[in-house]
Amino acid sequence: KQEVTQIPAALSVPEGENLVLNCSFTDSAIYNLQWFRQDPGKGLTSLLLIQSSQREQTSGRLNASLDKSSGRSTLYIAASQPGDSATYLCAVGETSGSRLTFGEGTQLTVNP
Amino acid sequence: GAGVSQSPSNKVTEKGKDVELRCDPISGHTALYWYRQRLGQGLEFLIYFQGNSAPDKSGLPSDRFSAERTGESVSTLTIQRTQQEDSAVYLCASSLGGLAGATEQYFGPGTRLTVT
């Protein structure tokens, strides 16, 4: 059974700092990995999707990497802003199933 | 274009009553998913529809839970004889389809269900 773990559970940083969120998964047989942000009381917003054949994806100040063999992904946020404050979720799309398996998220607070 | 929509946004019901939650996927998306998020926990997969194929119901927690989808459009998630443990946010997502793990899922805002 696939298990996804995110570290740290919570992170508080001053504005302008670069930061890294970590995600690990137990079964490397994945089709893709997706990073989402979730704002309080709202649904999920897709940030980046990395296919299993890819090593990284970039969108603006965000960069996500994938090391499938070691079962790890990182989300790098450059020059953080208060508007980046949210919960960040990592999810893997499995080869054999139809579901996304989610980690429990990292709650990020960027202080002005 | 329009994203995934869900209704109602909030639902409060008494224990033992039945509830029905609705999801409208993005037009053209053949795959539709339901997830549940209990307070302070991660998302749990419930059920997946892909076109006219038999749905993957492997995540449904009990036989009180069922879901239907009409063609490639609206889906309804029904919870019978609700229990307090059913209180959660129910999230719907859709994708272009094919192998579910291969395409990006887009989520609706969710329905917050409270069972009193």
Side-chain angles (χ1 to χ4, degrees):
Chain A
K1 179 186 172 186
Q2 178 74 268
E3 293 182 1
V4 180
T5 304
Q6 291 188 245
I7 295 173
L11 181 63
S12 181
V13 300
E15 183 177 3
E17 192 162 297
N18 302 326
L19 58 100
V20 175
L21 306 181
N22 296 291
C23 172
S24 61
F25 46 95
T26 54
D27 186 345
S28 63
I30 65 169
Y31 261 56
N32 63 19
L33 186 144
Q34 201 166 347
W35 282 94
F36 297 88
R37 71 174 278 168
Q38 185 173 32
D39 295 279
K42 298 189 177 179
L44 277 65
T45 301
S46 178
L47 298 174
L48 289 165
L49 171 71
I50 311 177
Q51 301 292 353
S52 62
S53 58
Q54 298 175 320
R55 298 284 292 183
E56 65 177 338
Q57 281 287 333
T58 298
S59 175
R61 294 182 294 107
L62 305 180
N63 176 279
S65 69
L66 174 63
D67 184 341
K68 194 176 149 185
S69 60
S70 68
R72 294 182 182 181
S73 175
T74 61
L75 179 66
Y76 175 82
I77 303 177
S80 58
Q81 302 171 358
D84 295 331
S85 297
T87 296
Y88 289 79
L89 296 167
C90 165
V92 298
E94 299 178 9
T95 300
S96 59
S98 55
R99 65 192 68 191
L100 283 177
T101 301
F102 283 82
E104 296 200 354
T106 293
Q107 185 173 355
L108 173 67
T109 302
V110 181
N111 300 302
Chain B
V4 178
S5 61
Q6 293 185 245
S7 61
S9 55
N10 282 284
K11 176 72 177 178
V12 179
T13 189
E14 292 180 353
K15 179 181 173 181
K17 295 285 180 68
D18 297 351
V19 295
E20 193 172 274
L21 312 180
R22 177 186 169 108
C23 172
D24 284 85
I26 294 172
S27 178
H29 280 193
T30 61
L32 186 146
Y33 316 78
W34 285 97
Y35 295 85
R36 175 172 73 176
Q37 186 175 31
R38 290 172 164 157
L39 185 64
Q41 298 186 19
L43 275 77
E44 305 169 73
F45 167 80
L46 297 176
I47 189 170
Y48 156 64
F49 296 91
Q50 170 59 59
N52 295 318
S53 301
D56 176 358
K57 304 180 181 181
S58 60
L60 295 178
S62 78
D63 59 8
R64 297 186 295 105
F65 287 72
S66 63
E68 294 183 351
R69 187 181 187 194
T70 306
E72 294 184 352
S73 60
V74 172
S75 175
T76 55
L77 176 69
T78 301
I79 308 173
Q80 296 178 308
R81 305 180 303 281
T82 52
Q83 303 294 314
Q84 288 184 331
E85 68 212 38
D86 300 333
S87 296
V89 177
Y90 289 82
L91 291 158
C92 174
S94 69
S95 75
L96 284 169
L99 283 165
T103 60
E104 193 168 0
Q105 294 186 24
Y106 297 86
F107 281 76
T111 293
R112 181 175 298 277
L113 174 66
T114 303
V115 182
T116 61

